[in-house]
Amino acid sequence: MLLKGRAEKIESDGMVVRSPTVTIRLPTVIRLMKYIKRSYQVRISFSKKNVLKRDNFTCQYCGTMDGNLTIDHVIPKSRGGESCWENVVVACQKCNIKKGDQTLKEAGIRLLRRPARPSFLFHKNIYHSAPKSFVKNWSKYFPNDVIRA
Ligand SMILES: [Zn+2]
């Protein structure tokens, strides 16, 4: 894309590739010269795995990433709460037990973020498998809750 002028280099970490005739500084961030609009909406399937990804493997009540993470119905199932993106969050076992069959108000706890259907899920593994210099460069382009450096 860079060679064909379809993208420009925004950042690089200094890594270089050389051929007999060309030397290219490898980019870590590029900008597309033309916005590519997707003609279809990707529908992310509702699953425990995807709820964990949406909530960044973080309890939505206390913010911990430790311990056994569970899936909690904000409005309990016993109160008619549905199993859907808007009513399900990641909760640590401690918070899940504390909340039990109560509403947020009854339990006296708050959500860190209102749950919603995600339009995009970023795979955490990309960060773990990428060189540290890439992650450092990418971090300023994502919201704080996406990357934990
Ligand atoms: Zn918790």
Side-chain angles (χ1 to χ4, degrees), residues 83-103:
S83 296
C84 61
W85 286 111
E86 295 78 9
N87 190 46
V88 163
V89 293
V90 170
C92 69
Q93 225 163 21
K94 199 174 158 191
C95 289
N96 201 335
I97 290 168
K98 181 183 168 194
K99 183 171 168 288
D101 255 6
Q102 304 174 93
T103 62

Side-chain angles (χ1 to χ4, degrees), residues 59 61-62 64 92 95:
C59 173
Y61 299 121
C62 74
T64 188
C92 69
C95 289

Side-chain angles (χ1 to χ4, degrees), residues 37 39 42 49 54 60 65 78 82 84 88-89 105 107 109 121 126 133 136 142 148-149:
K37 191 175 180 186
S39 58
V42 177
K49 194 173 144 194
R54 179 199 64 188
Q60 293 302 294
M65 295 178 90
S78 61
E82 289 179 53
C84 61
V88 163
V89 293
K105 203 174 174 184
I109 48 179
L121 286 177
I126 290 174
S133 59
K136 192 179 165 210
F142 287 98
R148 287 168 182 269

Side-chain angles (χ1 to χ4, degrees), residues 13-81:
D13 67 351
M15 285 183 74
V16 171
V17 284
R18 289 187 179 89
S19 79
T21 53
V22 182
T23 299
I24 301 170
R25 284 185 142 236
L26 287 178
T28 53
V29 178
I30 61 169
R31 181 169 73 95
L32 301 182
M33 302 311 282
K34 200 171 149 189
Y35 179 68
I36 301 163
K37 191 175 180 186
R38 292 195 302 195
S39 58
Y40 61 94
Q41 182 74 35
V42 177
R43 203 169 167 85
I44 297 160
S45 60
F46 178 73
S47 66
K48 180 179 177 181
K49 194 173 144 194
N50 283 341
V51 171
L52 283 161
K53 282 183 188 171
R54 179 199 64 188
D55 293 348
N56 198 27
F57 298 84
T58 304
C59 173
Q60 293 302 294
Y61 299 121
C62 74
T64 188
M65 295 178 90
D66 300 327
N68 284 337
L69 295 175
T70 63
I71 299 296
D72 183 59
H73 286 73
V74 178
I75 299 169
K77 270 174 122 174
S78 61
R79 309 272 188 100

